[in-house]
Amino acid sequence: MFTAIRAQSLPAIAPLVRRYCVPVVNIFDRKVKRLQRERAAKSDDVALYDYIKEEVGYRLSDRIFDVKRVFKNAVDLGAGRGYVTNHVLGETVEQLTAVDLSPTMLAQIKGTPGLDFRVREMDEEKFDFAADSLDLVVSSLSLHWINDLPACFRAVNRALRPDGVFIGAMFGGETLYELRSSLQLAEVERRGGISPHLSPFTQIRDVGMLLNRANFNMLTIDTDEIVVGFPSMFELMWDLKGMAESNAAFNRALHISRETMMAAAAIYKDMYSKEDGVTATFQVIYFVGWKPCASQPKPLERGSANVSLKDLGKIMDPKNVNKK
């Protein structure tokens, strides 16, 4: 009786729902990043600094060819000067839209013979395509400058048709660790503290989590490292400027003293020198994610297996295989 009266007097409690929505903290200044890309694109020797992005774009386009299908409508998100678009063939993609923040970079895209492509100026953070309108979205070395990466992934998933694929490459957390540590040690020595001279990068463990939360499945994620040699730290920093990869964080330091720079260069040479100079590491995270579709393969129900894991050694034994 007591239990029944108490149950009637208590208000109804809504079921607990776990929500992932958190306030978005804008780390990067997108206006500054647009100016950096425009400045780099208008340089006479812009092609001289494309070696990293060209290499990664070529590798990423090769992964498109690995998918044995023809994509009717595709988007190159953060296309730059066409680092992916310039390697995609018309036999693989019927129509491709190159999207980037910089109109000058978009104007320099050449494409490949027979490829039907168009350009569209758009901030990658404001990815705006009709729902279920795309078969493929590809992005090469652009996503690491986006403030709200989960929202971008959700927008891409929304625009893809069922069984559409998202193929991308982005710089990982170990990128330029040599330069980061050298600047930090130099500032601690000279100033007694550190400033964020390099932008933060996404860790590989976070990429899979964000893609899952954005409703992608059948994920494939791997990483690669590209090590480039330079005469000194200063040539590396000059090339980063030519790539439009200078720091664009809001809290970046606008000035580094000459004394700190010379100390950082000496530390860099002492810790990471090779025979003819120093090295810089670029960690690249590659990923492939698919939008769910009823036609995709699905795992069997739990408990439906008829072979025990402890018997795999016997099954894979060449003697038993030959008997079968």
Side-chain angles (χ1 to χ4, degrees), residues 54 92 158 262 295 315:
E54 279 288 350
T92 304
R158 174 182 172 273
M262 297 304 295
S295 63
I315 297 174

Side-chain angles (χ1 to χ4, degrees), residues 240-279:
L240 291 175
K241 179 181 177 181
M243 298 176 194
E245 292 296 330
S246 299
N247 193 356
F250 279 106
N251 63 345
R252 68 192 184 279
L254 300 180
H255 175 72
I256 307 177
S257 67
R258 179 184 179 87
E259 183 183 10
T260 301
M261 289 291 290
M262 297 304 295
I267 293 172
Y268 202 127
K269 183 178 180 181
D270 182 64
M271 296 179 62
Y272 307 108
S273 63
K274 296 295 181 181
E275 296 180 358
D276 299 326
V278 298
T279 59

Side-chain angles (χ1 to χ4, degrees), residues 21 26 39 48 83 91 108 110 154 188 196 218 257 281:
C21 296
N26 287 330
R39 178 184 61 192
L48 185 64
Y83 307 112
E91 292 82 359
Q108 298 176 6
K110 301 177 182 179
R154 290 194 299 269
V188 169
M218 297 194 302
S257 67
T281 302

Side-chain angles (χ1 to χ4, degrees), residues 50-188:
D50 284 344
Y51 50 91
I52 293 289
K53 295 185 177 181
E54 279 288 350
E55 177 64 24
V56 175
Y58 175 79
R59 296 183 185 184
L60 202 61
S61 63
D62 192 53
R63 297 186 179 220
I64 299 175
F65 301 144
D66 291 337
V67 182
K68 304 303 180 183
R69 68 168 65 174
V70 177
F71 300 100
K72 294 183 179 180
N73 196 5
V75 167
D76 184 359
L77 179 61
R81 299 181 64 246
Y83 307 112
V84 176
T85 302
N86 292 340
H87 299 290
V88 174
L89 300 179
E91 292 82 359
T92 304
V93 177
E94 293 184 359
Q95 185 179 87
L96 188 145
T97 303
V99 171
D100 197 87
L101 190 65
S102 168
T104 305
M105 282 194 169
L106 290 174
Q108 298 176 6
I109 298 178
K110 301 177 182 179
T112 56
L115 176 65
D116 180 13
F117 80 95
R118 61 197 64 182
V119 299
R120 180 177 174 183
E121 182 183 349
M122 178 191 297
D123 191 334
E124 297 97 315
E125 288 190 344
K126 301 175 182 178
F127 187 79
D128 185 20
F129 284 85
D132 301 329
S133 62
L134 305 175
D135 301 296
L136 166 69
V137 176
V138 60
S139 180
S140 178
L141 300 186
S142 173
L143 296 174
H144 59 284
W145 291 115
I146 292 181
N147 286 299
D148 194 356
L149 200 56
C152 178
F153 283 176
R154 290 194 299 269
V156 171
N157 185 273
R158 174 182 172 273
L160 285 171
R161 295 189 180 99
D163 204 31
V165 61
F166 183 25
I167 303 177
M170 59 191 302
F171 284 130
E174 298 300 317
T175 297
L176 298 176
Y177 71 89
E178 303 98 336
L179 179 60
R180 188 189 306 273
S181 60
S182 298
L183 288 171
Q184 289 177 348
L185 290 173
E187 283 202 317
V188 169

